[in-house]
Amino acid sequence: MKKAVIFDFDGTLCDTGIGVKKSAKYALDAFNIEAPEWEELDFFIGPPLLVTFQEKFGQSAADSEKLVKKYRERYTNIGLYESEFYSGIPQLLQRLKNDGMKLGIASSKPAKYVEELLIKEGLISLFDYVSAVSFNADCESKQSIIDRCLNELGVESKDAVMVGDRFYDIDGARACGVDSIGVLWGFGTKFELIESGAKYIIDKIDDIENIALGLYERTENIQGIFSGNVITVHHDDITLCNDQPAKRECVDHPGGVGIICLNEDDEVVLVRQFRYPYKETIYEIPAGKLEKDENPVDAAMRELREECGAVCDELRELGEIYPSPGYTNEIIRLYACTNPTFVEQELDEDEFLQVCKMKFTTLIAKIMSGEIKDAKTIAAAMKLKELRNK
């Protein structure tokens, strides 16, 4: 488990691309320097502006200073506010603080800009230290910026992890002896993150917390075993959080839906069917798997009509469940509806089931007695019971 998480800012916490690139184009145009359209100026994200103007456009140090000044003319008043924090980042930061982590920022962006955006989003209080540059000294190396952050946080390099989207972040972390996480939602590429030696490369924001807590399992190799009409089975080689190898057997599933439907008499519409793996006939709410690219709400409406001949005008979301997280990635989306109208069933040729109705109170009693064991039915019924009691 780590004690601190240090974040790059642009392209990692916040999508600042539009403001940065438009302001860079504004500066280049002001000095009649031939350049691509602003949409193609991703290379301005990450490194110091002075470096980019010199390396990418062959400008002298003195002329680059003028370009930076012109850039800030637009960025300070307009470009700064053309930014948006990535979805899920505020929630991640709060969870990391709840986990007891120290949080820092190590950015080549001027500290004034970073802090203003954090204040605007209401996130400044979550950070223990913001390590960034000044307007007068914005060519500081990433290694130096990260090292200063480590010192101010009071943690050793082995107890921290650096999160960034460009090779500058990964190179700086390595120079400081800090483990690094390369993220794929920013402005870098997977190739550059691999080339620079990121220990982890992720595309899910939640994985930052998993890594910091020492819970993450990194996939190294996937070996297919079976591919059927519904599931795919594979055997994976992984690396545990302590860098030890292990294996996982996994079942990929397209996901499904389950619908708890009540009529005007407060009766739940259920189905009874023989479930071959258990060799039992069990009670369940209507349910089914998602077709390729199918909207879950559409799938729920379809399954309700096909299995029970029930039609509802509106569905209420009850959230998602992971029925067997130890070996499958299946997700079941749960819904509730009331006062259905009934039409003819549309069962598949190999589908045999009995539609029945049961008082909601009876359903709860059978769940509590253990007579009803189906996980999605239990979850949907208990969630709905809780919502009805509010």
Side-chain angles (χ1 to χ4, degrees):
M1 178 173 172
K2 300 296 185 181
K3 295 179 180 178
V5 183
I6 301 173
F7 292 90
D8 171 52
F9 191 79
D10 290 8
T12 302
L13 294 177
C14 191
D15 184 356
T16 57
I18 292 177
V20 169
K21 292 186 289 185
K22 282 189 174 181
S23 298
K25 180 64 171 173
Y26 171 83
L28 291 164
D29 287 347
F31 288 88
N32 296 314
I33 297 171
E34 186 176 349
E37 294 302 313
W38 71 266
E39 293 91 344
E40 301 175 51
L41 298 179
D42 284 354
F43 48 78
F44 272 97
I45 312 294
L49 291 169
L50 278 171
V51 173
T52 305
F53 282 126
Q54 290 178 65
E55 291 185 351
K56 296 294 185 179
F57 296 94
Q59 300 299 300
S60 67
D63 286 342
S64 293
E65 289 277 7
K66 295 176 183 177
L67 283 160
V68 170
K69 185 177 180 180
K70 180 59 70 171
Y71 166 94
R72 288 179 181 153
E73 181 179 285
R74 181 189 187 278
Y75 190 78
T76 300
N77 298 305
I78 301 173
L80 180 65
Y81 306 104
E82 296 172 321
S83 303
E84 183 177 5
F85 282 81
Y86 291 105
S87 176
I89 286 294
Q91 295 85 349
L92 167 72
L93 297 174
Q94 186 61 65
R95 290 198 306 272
L96 289 171
K97 292 303 291 184
N98 294 343
D99 293 330
M101 301 284 174
K102 291 184 177 181
L103 299 185
I105 287 176
S107 175
S108 297
K109 196 181 193 71
K112 181 180 184 300
Y113 291 152
V114 174
E115 290 169 355
E116 185 167 343
L117 288 173
L118 289 173
I119 291 169
K120 180 174 178 289
E121 191 69 16
L123 299 176
I124 189 71
S125 63
L126 296 177
F127 287 93
D128 298 280
Y129 185 68
V130 175
S131 182
V133 301
S134 69
F135 288 120
N136 297 323
D138 59 355
C139 275
E140 186 178 3
S141 72
K142 198 72 177 205
Q143 176 184 354
S144 174
I145 295 169
I146 295 171
D147 190 55
R148 185 168 71 252
C149 193
L150 288 169
N151 290 334
E152 292 294 333
L153 293 176
V155 297
E156 297 182 25
S157 57
K158 65 181 178 62
D159 294 322
V161 63
M162 174 69 197
V163 186
D165 69 315
R166 297 298 311 277
F167 69 88
Y168 304 98
D169 308 311
I170 310 306
D171 290 347
R174 184 176 61 254
C176 293
V178 176
D179 286 343
S180 58
I181 302 173
V183 303
L184 296 176
W185 55 80
F187 300 100
T189 65
K190 187 173 184 178
F191 178 78
E192 76 173 81
L193 295 172
I194 292 172
E195 285 287 291
S196 56
K199 182 171 183 179
Y200 305 96
I201 298 176
I202 63 171
D203 57 10
K204 292 173 60 178
I205 283 175
D206 289 350
D207 282 340
I208 295 172
E209 183 183 19
N210 297 331
I211 293 168
L213 291 175
L215 302 175
Y216 188 70
E217 297 180 352
R218 186 171 69 243
T219 303
E220 306 294 353
N221 181 58
I222 299 175
Q223 180 181 348
I225 297 174
F226 169 79
S227 182
N229 293 327
V230 178
I231 63 170
T232 299
V233 183
H234 50 97
H235 193 193
D236 296 1
D237 297 315
I238 69 161
T239 299
L240 299 171
C241 57
N242 61 357
D243 292 330
Q244 294 301 305
K247 294 182 180 296
R248 294 286 183 263
E249 295 175 353
C250 303
V251 176
D252 289 344
H253 189 283
V257 294
I259 316 95
I260 184 165
C261 179
L262 286 83
N263 64 18
E264 64 276 6
D265 297 320
D266 207 36
E267 296 173 324
V268 182
V269 180
L270 298 172
V271 298
R272 293 184 71 204
Q273 56 186 320
F274 187 80
R275 287 303 195 180
Y276 184 80
Y278 295 103
K279 305 297 191 295
E280 289 182 25
T281 298
I282 64 174
Y283 287 101
E284 302 174 54
I285 57 174
K289 71 177 181 67
L290 290 169
E291 302 296 340
K292 182 176 174 57
D293 298 325
E294 186 176 22
N295 182 288
V297 172
D298 294 338
M301 293 283 200
R302 173 178 56 75
E303 290 292 344
L304 187 62
R305 184 186 67 253
E306 291 177 356
E307 291 194 355
C308 303
V311 178
C312 287
D313 294 331
E314 187 176 354
L315 297 181
R316 180 179 187 177
E317 292 187 5
L318 296 180
E320 302 176 345
I321 60 170
Y322 295 173
S324 299
Y327 66 87
T328 180
N329 62 1
E330 180 182 9
I331 299 173
I332 300 177
R333 284 85 173 175
L334 299 175
Y335 299 91
C337 65
T338 56
N339 300 326
T341 57
F342 289 91
V343 296
E344 189 175 349
Q345 287 175 289
E346 301 174 19
L347 297 176
D348 296 332
E349 290 184 0
D350 61 349
E351 194 172 23
F352 300 92
L353 53 83
Q354 178 188 46
V355 178
C356 56
K357 298 173 185 175
M358 185 183 296
K359 285 288 188 179
F360 186 71
T361 53
T362 303
L363 174 64
I364 298 298
K366 287 182 179 291
I367 288 172
M368 296 307 296
S369 70
E371 183 178 345
I372 291 180
K373 306 180 181 71
D374 176 61
K376 64 183 176 294
T377 301
I378 295 171
M382 300 310 288
K383 279 197 165 191
L384 184 59
K385 178 176 181 290
E386 183 68 20
L387 290 171
R388 282 157 58 112
N389 288 338
K390 290 184 177 180

